Amino acid sequence: MQRFLKPFSSAWGFRRLIYSMAEREVLGRYKGSWLGLFWSLVTPILLLVVYMFVFGFIFKARWPQSNGVDEGFASLLFCGIIVYLMFSEILGRSPRLIVDNVNYVKRVVFPVDVLGWVAIGNSLFHFFISTVVLLAFVLFSGKGVGLSILMFPVLTLMFVLFLAGISWLVSALGVYIRDVTYVVGFLTTALTFLSPVFYPKSIVPEKFALVMDINPLTFYIENYRKVLVLNEFPDPTSFAIAAVVALGTFFLGYGFFQRVRRGFADVL
């Protein structure tokens, strides 16, 4: 039991260090700009306005729904994009997460595994800001927020555990196999279109349904839309499967990272 609790106890034990480093990353991103941290709020608002204008007024796009009701293309699209952006940021940073922090690796007492939590903390901050903007837009449009919003913390916790496992796994591989950077670059681009970011899963032809189902982003994008925009609860079966996958990825990534981390200093 203690073995399974180790990644959680480690994160809790170094929570102040993780918070401090994540805060420094967030503030460092906007250092020197006139608006500073305010950009974290302005950027998602501007993106949402652009999506509304381009897809709503120019393309006059409508979200395909089985009941023929337009649920708001801009909010559904924006929801998919903020989920994808968090995933792509973590995946894109992971191959060089250890390589770019050699000074920490060389320190024997430094807990290198917290670097993954720091990256997630940075992305999570911007994800929450974008989510607030999305919810404000949903309320402003008159659609309202239902009880399904109660599933948001649980869904986010699952997403974070999944991303943490991916980050540890990819960052460890990135130390030994530098080509991982290029593979990840291709995957992040391909997943933009192979994930239901700009469209719902329901319109994908049946023969390609398997491709969508094995893509873990499909579950999170579709269910964040249900919880935040459509006022629907996730399907219990798919939710349980996704939870098992998230936990499995989390422990697999952490175990692999801890097994190979001893050789980081020698390779770097």
Side-chain angles (χ1 to χ4, degrees):
M1 186 65 179
Q2 186 176 2
R3 181 180 179 182
F4 288 100
L5 292 177
K6 186 176 180 180
F8 300 106
S9 61
S10 175
W12 178 255
F14 294 105
R15 62 189 182 280
R16 293 182 179 178
L17 174 64
I18 295 171
Y19 177 83
S20 176
M21 293 182 69
E23 182 183 34
R24 187 174 62 184
E25 278 201 7
V26 171
L27 296 177
R29 176 180 295 194
Y30 305 103
K31 186 178 181 180
S33 62
W34 286 359
L35 293 181
L37 195 60
F38 193 59
W39 274 114
S40 63
L41 178 62
V42 172
T43 300
I45 293 177
L46 293 177
L47 286 175
L48 183 55
V49 171
V50 170
Y51 297 145
M52 287 177 59
F53 176 73
V54 174
F55 292 98
F57 294 98
I58 297 180
F59 293 135
K60 299 186 183 303
R62 294 295 181 267
W63 200 260
Q65 296 290 331
S66 58
N67 59 6
V69 178
D70 176 24
E71 300 287 356
F73 191 93
S75 55
L76 291 164
L77 176 64
F78 186 65
C79 184
I81 287 177
I82 62 177
V83 174
Y84 168 77
L85 287 178
M86 182 172 175
F87 173 82
S88 62
E89 182 175 356
I90 295 299
L91 184 62
R93 286 190 59 184
S94 293
R96 298 194 60 83
L97 191 62
I98 305 300
V99 177
D100 291 340
N101 290 279
V102 181
N103 54 325
Y104 292 132
V105 177
K106 298 293 184 179
R107 298 179 183 179
V108 180
V109 296
F110 186 82
V112 186
D113 55 287
V114 306
L115 293 175
W117 288 120
V118 172
I120 290 175
N122 181 21
S123 296
L124 199 58
F125 170 80
H126 295 92
F127 176 77
F128 282 149
I129 295 295
S130 297
T131 301
V132 170
V133 172
L134 172 64
L135 290 175
F137 175 75
V138 171
L139 291 172
F140 179 77
S141 63
K143 297 184 184 303
V145 177
L147 290 176
S148 59
I149 192 68
L150 297 176
M151 293 300 298
F152 175 76
V154 181
L155 190 59
T156 302
L157 176 60
M158 286 172 52
F159 196 31
V160 166
L161 293 178
F162 174 73
L163 291 177
I166 291 292
S167 180
W168 282 322
L169 183 63
V170 176
S171 62
L173 287 174
V175 175
Y176 299 96
I177 309 173
R178 301 301 170 87
D179 295 51
V180 171
T181 302
Y182 305 102
V183 174
V184 164
F186 168 77
L187 281 177
T188 52
T189 302
L191 287 175
T192 307
F193 305 100
L194 296 177
S195 303
V197 177
F198 302 102
Y199 54 86
K201 177 189 172 184
S202 58
I203 69 170
V204 177
E206 187 67 28
K207 60 183 178 180
F208 298 117
L210 180 61
V211 177
M212 302 299 295
D213 290 335
I214 63 176
N215 178 2
L217 265 184
T218 299
F219 168 82
Y220 291 104
I221 292 175
E222 289 283 294
N223 283 279
Y224 268 115
R225 281 176 178 149
K226 287 183 178 181
V227 169
L228 298 175
V229 182
L230 300 176
N231 296 333
E232 299 175 5
F233 284 89
D235 173 68
T237 302
S238 61
F239 193 86
I241 294 174
V244 171
V245 171
L247 285 171
T249 305
F250 178 78
F251 288 115
L252 175 65
Y254 184 79
F256 180 78
F257 187 92
Q258 295 298 331
R259 180 177 292 272
V260 303
R261 63 179 294 180
R262 297 176 182 176
F264 288 171
D266 296 331
V267 176
L268 298 174

